[in-house]
Amino acid sequence: MVPFLILCVLQVGDLFSTRLALKVPGVMELNPLVRGFGLWQAKLLVFGLIVLLAWQTKRMRRMWTLCGIYAVIVASNVFLFVTHAVALAQR
């Protein structure tokens, strides 16, 4: 249950960090789901898939792996926003 809850928090973090990163001029979303469906719809779809995975999985290792992947994604979005926001503020 713990990795599932962490994954849910990371999903919310991904949503908000992606929105922040997209505010930087010139930043483009690389996720084909988001480009095809839109941010909210893609995030809801992925959340549904994660709930399905959590319900089906018998190995917590998969859930922890997903947590690690999403932690890197959120960190990347935040890093992108912070580095570019500082550069834009200095102009």
Side-chain angles (χ1 to χ4, degrees):
M1 189 67 163
V2 172
F4 176 72
L5 293 175
I6 291 171
L7 198 51
C8 289
V9 169
L10 287 169
Q11 285 291 312
V12 172
D14 181 31
L15 173 69
F16 289 113
S17 65
T18 299
R19 289 184 65 196
L20 277 176
L22 289 174
K23 290 181 181 181
V24 175
V27 170
M28 189 176 131
E29 177 61 56
L30 297 178
N31 184 339
L33 286 175
V34 174
R35 285 187 287 174
F37 294 118
L39 184 61
W40 286 95
Q41 295 86 349
K43 297 302 175 189
L44 286 174
L45 175 66
V46 170
F47 181 73
L49 292 172
I50 286 173
V51 168
L52 183 64
L53 174 72
W55 180 59
Q56 291 291 325
T57 192
K58 304 246 187 288
R59 296 182 183 156
M60 287 298 106
R61 184 177 181 176
R62 290 179 185 162
M63 293 298 291
W64 285 115
T65 301
L66 276 174
C67 287
I69 290 168
Y70 270 97
V72 169
I73 291 170
V74 171
S76 172
N77 288 341
V78 170
F79 180 74
L80 179 75
F81 176 74
V82 169
T83 57
H84 285 78
V86 169
L88 289 172
Q90 291 176 350
R91 290 184 187 176

PDB file of all heavy atoms in Angstrom, residues 64-90:
ATOM      1  N   TRP A  64       7.789  -0.053  -6.716  1.00  0.00           N
ATOM      2  CA  TRP A  64       8.919   0.774  -6.300  1.00  0.00           C
ATOM      3  C   TRP A  64       9.702   1.276  -7.518  1.00  0.00           C
ATOM      4  O   TRP A  64      10.211   2.391  -7.511  1.00  0.00           O
ATOM      5  CB  TRP A  64       9.830   0.022  -5.335  1.00  0.00           C
ATOM      6  CG  TRP A  64       9.237  -0.092  -3.965  1.00  0.00           C
ATOM      7  CD1 TRP A  64       8.858  -1.228  -3.332  1.00  0.00           C
ATOM      8  CD2 TRP A  64       8.946   0.985  -3.061  1.00  0.00           C
ATOM      9  NE1 TRP A  64       8.337  -0.933  -2.100  1.00  0.00           N
ATOM     10  CE2 TRP A  64       8.383   0.415  -1.900  1.00  0.00           C
ATOM     11  CE3 TRP A  64       9.098   2.362  -3.126  1.00  0.00           C
ATOM     12  CZ2 TRP A  64       7.970   1.189  -0.817  1.00  0.00           C
ATOM     13  CZ3 TRP A  64       8.686   3.122  -2.043  1.00  0.00           C
ATOM     14  CH2 TRP A  64       8.146   2.543  -0.906  1.00  0.00           C
ATOM     15  N   THR A  65       9.775   0.454  -8.555  1.00  0.00           N
ATOM     16  CA  THR A  65      10.439   0.886  -9.793  1.00  0.00           C
ATOM     17  C   THR A  65       9.683   2.052 -10.407  1.00  0.00           C
ATOM     18  O   THR A  65      10.298   3.042 -10.835  1.00  0.00           O
ATOM     19  CB  THR A  65      10.541  -0.281 -10.795  1.00  0.00           C
ATOM     20  OG1 THR A  65      11.284  -1.338 -10.188  1.00  0.00           O
ATOM     21  CG2 THR A  65      11.211   0.143 -12.074  1.00  0.00           C
ATOM     22  N   LEU A  66       8.359   1.962 -10.455  1.00  0.00           N
ATOM     23  CA  LEU A  66       7.556   3.075 -10.965  1.00  0.00           C
ATOM     24  C   LEU A  66       7.724   4.328 -10.107  1.00  0.00           C
ATOM     25  O   LEU A  66       7.786   5.440 -10.627  1.00  0.00           O
ATOM     26  CB  LEU A  66       6.081   2.688 -11.019  1.00  0.00           C
ATOM     27  CG  LEU A  66       5.639   1.926 -12.243  1.00  0.00           C
ATOM     28  CD1 LEU A  66       4.190   1.488 -12.095  1.00  0.00           C
ATOM     29  CD2 LEU A  66       5.822   2.733 -13.499  1.00  0.00           C
ATOM     30  N   CYS A  67       7.809   4.142  -8.797  1.00  0.00           N
ATOM     31  CA  CYS A  67       8.048   5.291  -7.908  1.00  0.00           C
ATOM     32  C   CYS A  67       9.364   5.969  -8.254  1.00  0.00           C
ATOM     33  O   CYS A  67       9.445   7.204  -8.312  1.00  0.00           O
ATOM     34  CB  CYS A  67       8.062   4.846  -6.450  1.00  0.00           C
ATOM     35  SG  CYS A  67       6.457   4.415  -5.769  1.00  0.00           S
ATOM     36  N   GLY A  68      10.398   5.169  -8.490  1.00  0.00           N
ATOM     37  CA  GLY A  68      11.697   5.731  -8.856  1.00  0.00           C
ATOM     38  C   GLY A  68      11.647   6.481 -10.175  1.00  0.00           C
ATOM     39  O   GLY A  68      12.199   7.578 -10.305  1.00  0.00           O
ATOM     40  N   ILE A  69      10.956   5.901 -11.160  1.00  0.00           N
ATOM     41  CA  ILE A  69      10.839   6.561 -12.469  1.00  0.00           C
ATOM     42  C   ILE A  69      10.106   7.892 -12.330  1.00  0.00           C
ATOM     43  O   ILE A  69      10.552   8.918 -12.862  1.00  0.00           O
ATOM     44  CB  ILE A  69      10.128   5.632 -13.470  1.00  0.00           C
ATOM     45  CG1 ILE A  69      11.029   4.450 -13.824  1.00  0.00           C
ATOM     46  CG2 ILE A  69       9.716   6.390 -14.729  1.00  0.00           C
ATOM     47  CD1 ILE A  69      10.325   3.332 -14.568  1.00  0.00           C
ATOM     48  N   TYR A  70       9.002   7.892 -11.619  1.00  0.00           N
ATOM     49  CA  TYR A  70       8.247   9.137 -11.464  1.00  0.00           C
ATOM     50  C   TYR A  70       8.982  10.159 -10.607  1.00  0.00           C
ATOM     51  O   TYR A  70       8.852  11.364 -10.826  1.00  0.00           O
ATOM     52  CB  TYR A  70       6.834   8.862 -10.936  1.00  0.00           C
ATOM     53  CG  TYR A  70       5.896   8.649 -12.081  1.00  0.00           C
ATOM     54  CD1 TYR A  70       5.582   7.377 -12.498  1.00  0.00           C
ATOM     55  CD2 TYR A  70       5.365   9.723 -12.786  1.00  0.00           C
ATOM     56  CE1 TYR A  70       4.752   7.171 -13.579  1.00  0.00           C
ATOM     57  CE2 TYR A  70       4.542   9.527 -13.869  1.00  0.00           C
ATOM     58  CZ  TYR A  70       4.238   8.248 -14.260  1.00  0.00           C
ATOM     59  OH  TYR A  70       3.425   8.058 -15.340  1.00  0.00           O
ATOM     60  N   ALA A  71       9.767   9.714  -9.652  1.00  0.00           N
ATOM     61  CA  ALA A  71      10.571  10.652  -8.863  1.00  0.00           C
ATOM     62  C   ALA A  71      11.580  11.365  -9.761  1.00  0.00           C
ATOM     63  O   ALA A  71      11.792  12.577  -9.639  1.00  0.00           O
ATOM     64  CB  ALA A  71      11.281   9.923  -7.726  1.00  0.00           C
ATOM     65  N   VAL A  72      12.178  10.632 -10.689  1.00  0.00           N
ATOM     66  CA  VAL A  72      13.125  11.238 -11.634  1.00  0.00           C
ATOM     67  C   VAL A  72      12.392  12.216 -12.556  1.00  0.00           C
ATOM     68  O   VAL A  72      12.901  13.316 -12.842  1.00  0.00           O
ATOM     69  CB  VAL A  72      13.866  10.152 -12.446  1.00  0.00           C
ATOM     70  CG1 VAL A  72      14.648  10.741 -13.595  1.00  0.00           C
ATOM     71  CG2 VAL A  72      14.779   9.354 -11.534  1.00  0.00           C
ATOM     72  N   ILE A  73      11.205  11.864 -13.021  1.00  0.00           N
ATOM     73  CA  ILE A  73      10.432  12.747 -13.894  1.00  0.00           C
ATOM     74  C   ILE A  73      10.075  14.046 -13.179  1.00  0.00           C
ATOM     75  O   ILE A  73      10.254  15.136 -13.728  1.00  0.00           O
ATOM     76  CB  ILE A  73       9.162  12.027 -14.389  1.00  0.00           C
ATOM     77  CG1 ILE A  73       9.536  10.911 -15.360  1.00  0.00           C
ATOM     78  CG2 ILE A  73       8.184  13.011 -15.041  1.00  0.00           C
ATOM     79  CD1 ILE A  73       8.390   9.985 -15.715  1.00  0.00           C
ATOM     80  N   VAL A  74       9.590  13.939 -11.961  1.00  0.00           N
ATOM     81  CA  VAL A  74       9.225  15.138 -11.197  1.00  0.00           C
ATOM     82  C   VAL A  74      10.464  15.987 -10.930  1.00  0.00           C
ATOM     83  O   VAL A  74      10.438  17.212 -11.096  1.00  0.00           O
ATOM     84  CB  VAL A  74       8.509  14.754  -9.882  1.00  0.00           C
ATOM     85  CG1 VAL A  74       8.328  15.965  -8.981  1.00  0.00           C
ATOM     86  CG2 VAL A  74       7.171  14.098 -10.191  1.00  0.00           C
ATOM     87  N   ALA A  75      11.559  15.361 -10.547  1.00  0.00           N
ATOM     88  CA  ALA A  75      12.796  16.101 -10.291  1.00  0.00           C
ATOM     89  C   ALA A  75      13.277  16.808 -11.560  1.00  0.00           C
ATOM     90  O   ALA A  75      13.721  17.953 -11.504  1.00  0.00           O
ATOM     91  CB  ALA A  75      13.876  15.165  -9.768  1.00  0.00           C
ATOM     92  N   SER A  76      13.162  16.145 -12.694  1.00  0.00           N
ATOM     93  CA  SER A  76      13.565  16.745 -13.961  1.00  0.00           C
ATOM     94  C   SER A  76      12.707  17.962 -14.289  1.00  0.00           C
ATOM     95  O   SER A  76      13.228  19.002 -14.715  1.00  0.00           O
ATOM     96  CB  SER A  76      13.464  15.711 -15.080  1.00  0.00           C
ATOM     97  OG  SER A  76      13.670  16.304 -16.332  1.00  0.00           O
ATOM     98  N   ASN A  77      11.407  17.853 -14.101  1.00  0.00           N
ATOM     99  CA  ASN A  77      10.518  18.992 -14.360  1.00  0.00           C
ATOM    100  C   ASN A  77      10.827  20.173 -13.452  1.00  0.00           C
ATOM    101  O   ASN A  77      10.888  21.321 -13.902  1.00  0.00           O
ATOM    102  CB  ASN A  77       9.050  18.584 -14.170  1.00  0.00           C
ATOM    103  CG  ASN A  77       8.537  17.690 -15.267  1.00  0.00           C
ATOM    104  OD1 ASN A  77       9.102  17.619 -16.355  1.00  0.00           O
ATOM    105  ND2 ASN A  77       7.462  16.994 -14.981  1.00  0.00           N
ATOM    106  N   VAL A  78      11.024  19.893 -12.186  1.00  0.00           N
ATOM    107  CA  VAL A  78      11.336  20.962 -11.224  1.00  0.00           C
ATOM    108  C   VAL A  78      12.684  21.582 -11.557  1.00  0.00           C
ATOM    109  O   VAL A  78      12.829  22.817 -11.556  1.00  0.00           O
ATOM    110  CB  VAL A  78      11.296  20.426  -9.777  1.00  0.00           C
ATOM    111  CG1 VAL A  78      11.845  21.445  -8.797  1.00  0.00           C
ATOM    112  CG2 VAL A  78       9.875  20.018  -9.406  1.00  0.00           C
ATOM    113  N   PHE A  79      13.669  20.763 -11.865  1.00  0.00           N
ATOM    114  CA  PHE A  79      14.995  21.273 -12.228  1.00  0.00           C
ATOM    115  C   PHE A  79      14.910  22.165 -13.468  1.00  0.00           C
ATOM    116  O   PHE A  79      15.499  23.233 -13.510  1.00  0.00           O
ATOM    117  CB  PHE A  79      15.956  20.112 -12.471  1.00  0.00           C
ATOM    118  CG  PHE A  79      17.335  20.533 -12.857  1.00  0.00           C
ATOM    119  CD1 PHE A  79      18.201  21.069 -11.914  1.00  0.00           C
ATOM    120  CD2 PHE A  79      17.774  20.407 -14.163  1.00  0.00           C
ATOM    121  CE1 PHE A  79      19.482  21.470 -12.268  1.00  0.00           C
ATOM    122  CE2 PHE A  79      19.044  20.808 -14.529  1.00  0.00           C
ATOM    123  CZ  PHE A  79      19.904  21.341 -13.575  1.00  0.00           C
ATOM    124  N   LEU A  80      14.155  21.726 -14.466  1.00  0.00           N
ATOM    125  CA  LEU A  80      13.989  22.515 -15.684  1.00  0.00           C
ATOM    126  C   LEU A  80      13.367  23.866 -15.367  1.00  0.00           C
ATOM    127  O   LEU A  80      13.842  24.903 -15.825  1.00  0.00           O
ATOM    128  CB  LEU A  80      13.102  21.749 -16.676  1.00  0.00           C
ATOM    129  CG  LEU A  80      12.804  22.449 -17.979  1.00  0.00           C
ATOM    130  CD1 LEU A  80      14.036  22.413 -18.874  1.00  0.00           C
ATOM    131  CD2 LEU A  80      11.624  21.813 -18.662  1.00  0.00           C
ATOM    132  N   PHE A  81      12.324  23.869 -14.566  1.00  0.00           N
ATOM    133  CA  PHE A  81      11.662  25.118 -14.226  1.00  0.00           C
ATOM    134  C   PHE A  81      12.579  26.043 -13.432  1.00  0.00           C
ATOM    135  O   PHE A  81      12.691  27.229 -13.735  1.00  0.00           O
ATOM    136  CB  PHE A  81      10.386  24.859 -13.425  1.00  0.00           C
ATOM    137  CG  PHE A  81       9.716  26.112 -12.972  1.00  0.00           C
ATOM    138  CD1 PHE A  81       9.021  26.901 -13.876  1.00  0.00           C
ATOM    139  CD2 PHE A  81       9.804  26.526 -11.660  1.00  0.00           C
ATOM    140  CE1 PHE A  81       8.415  28.079 -13.465  1.00  0.00           C
ATOM    141  CE2 PHE A  81       9.199  27.696 -11.241  1.00  0.00           C
ATOM    142  CZ  PHE A  81       8.507  28.470 -12.145  1.00  0.00           C
ATOM    143  N   VAL A  82      13.244  25.497 -12.426  1.00  0.00           N
ATOM    144  CA  VAL A  82      14.099  26.322 -11.563  1.00  0.00           C
ATOM    145  C   VAL A  82      15.259  26.919 -12.349  1.00  0.00           C
ATOM    146  O   VAL A  82      15.535  28.118 -12.249  1.00  0.00           O
ATOM    147  CB  VAL A  82      14.612  25.509 -10.353  1.00  0.00           C
ATOM    148  CG1 VAL A  82      15.697  26.234  -9.608  1.00  0.00           C
ATOM    149  CG2 VAL A  82      13.448  25.179  -9.428  1.00  0.00           C
ATOM    150  N   THR A  83      15.934  26.118 -13.155  1.00  0.00           N
ATOM    151  CA  THR A  83      17.084  26.642 -13.898  1.00  0.00           C
ATOM    152  C   THR A  83      16.670  27.685 -14.927  1.00  0.00           C
ATOM    153  O   THR A  83      17.350  28.694 -15.090  1.00  0.00           O
ATOM    154  CB  THR A  83      17.857  25.516 -14.605  1.00  0.00           C
ATOM    155  OG1 THR A  83      16.986  24.801 -15.457  1.00  0.00           O
ATOM    156  CG2 THR A  83      18.505  24.593 -13.607  1.00  0.00           C
ATOM    157  N   HIS A  84      15.550  27.483 -15.585  1.00  0.00           N
ATOM    158  CA  HIS A  84      15.116  28.443 -16.588  1.00  0.00           C
ATOM    159  C   HIS A  84      14.450  29.663 -15.964  1.00  0.00           C
ATOM    160  O   HIS A  84      14.548  30.755 -16.509  1.00  0.00           O
ATOM    161  CB  HIS A  84      14.183  27.782 -17.606  1.00  0.00           C
ATOM    162  CG  HIS A  84      14.931  26.914 -18.560  1.00  0.00           C
ATOM    163  ND1 HIS A  84      15.375  25.663 -18.215  1.00  0.00           N
ATOM    164  CD2 HIS A  84      15.311  27.119 -19.838  1.00  0.00           C
ATOM    165  CE1 HIS A  84      16.002  25.132 -19.249  1.00  0.00           C
ATOM    166  NE2 HIS A  84      15.978  25.993 -20.240  1.00  0.00           N
ATOM    167  N   ALA A  85      13.775  29.496 -14.860  1.00  0.00           N
ATOM    168  CA  ALA A  85      13.155  30.630 -14.186  1.00  0.00           C
ATOM    169  C   ALA A  85      14.216  31.588 -13.664  1.00  0.00           C
ATOM    170  O   ALA A  85      14.071  32.798 -13.743  1.00  0.00           O
ATOM    171  CB  ALA A  85      12.262  30.145 -13.050  1.00  0.00           C
ATOM    172  N   VAL A  86      15.307  31.034 -13.161  1.00  0.00           N
ATOM    173  CA  VAL A  86      16.418  31.884 -12.685  1.00  0.00           C
ATOM    174  C   VAL A  86      17.027  32.633 -13.866  1.00  0.00           C
ATOM    175  O   VAL A  86      17.296  33.839 -13.778  1.00  0.00           O
ATOM    176  CB  VAL A  86      17.477  31.028 -11.947  1.00  0.00           C
ATOM    177  CG1 VAL A  86      18.736  31.820 -11.696  1.00  0.00           C
ATOM    178  CG2 VAL A  86      16.904  30.477 -10.652  1.00  0.00           C
ATOM    179  N   ALA A  87      17.223  31.974 -14.969  1.00  0.00           N
ATOM    180  CA  ALA A  87      17.784  32.620 -16.155  1.00  0.00           C
ATOM    181  C   ALA A  87      16.866  33.697 -16.691  1.00  0.00           C
ATOM    182  O   ALA A  87      17.326  34.773 -17.101  1.00  0.00           O
ATOM    183  CB  ALA A  87      18.079  31.576 -17.243  1.00  0.00           C
ATOM    184  N   LEU A  88      15.569  33.448 -16.684  1.00  0.00           N
ATOM    185  CA  LEU A  88      14.613  34.436 -17.164  1.00  0.00           C
ATOM    186  C   LEU A  88      14.528  35.632 -16.209  1.00  0.00           C
ATOM    187  O   LEU A  88      14.351  36.769 -16.656  1.00  0.00           O
ATOM    188  CB  LEU A  88      13.230  33.815 -17.331  1.00  0.00           C
ATOM    189  CG  LEU A  88      13.076  32.843 -18.479  1.00  0.00           C
ATOM    190  CD1 LEU A  88      11.721  32.155 -18.417  1.00  0.00           C
ATOM    191  CD2 LEU A  88      13.247  33.553 -19.816  1.00  0.00           C
ATOM    192  N   ALA A  89      14.633  35.385 -14.918  1.00  0.00           N
ATOM    193  CA  ALA A  89      14.577  36.459 -13.939  1.00  0.00           C
ATOM    194  C   ALA A  89      15.789  37.368 -14.018  1.00  0.00           C
ATOM    195  O   ALA A  89      15.708  38.557 -13.704  1.00  0.00           O
ATOM    196  CB  ALA A  89      14.450  35.881 -12.529  1.00  0.00           C
ATOM    197  N   GLN A  90      16.922  36.847 -14.487  1.00  0.00           N
ATOM    198  CA  GLN A  90      18.132  37.657 -14.575  1.00  0.00           C
ATOM    199  C   GLN A  90      18.142  38.561 -15.794  1.00  0.00           C
ATOM    200  O   GLN A  90      18.937  39.461 -15.880  1.00  0.00           O
ATOM    201  CB  GLN A  90      19.356  36.748 -14.602  1.00  0.00           C
ATOM    202  CG  GLN A  90      19.600  36.045 -13.285  1.00  0.00           C
ATOM    203  CD  GLN A  90      20.753  35.087 -13.341  1.00  0.00           C
ATOM    204  OE1 GLN A  90      21.296  34.781 -14.401  1.00  0.00           O
ATOM    205  NE2 GLN A  90      21.160  34.565 -12.186  1.00  0.00           N
TER     206      GLN A  90
END
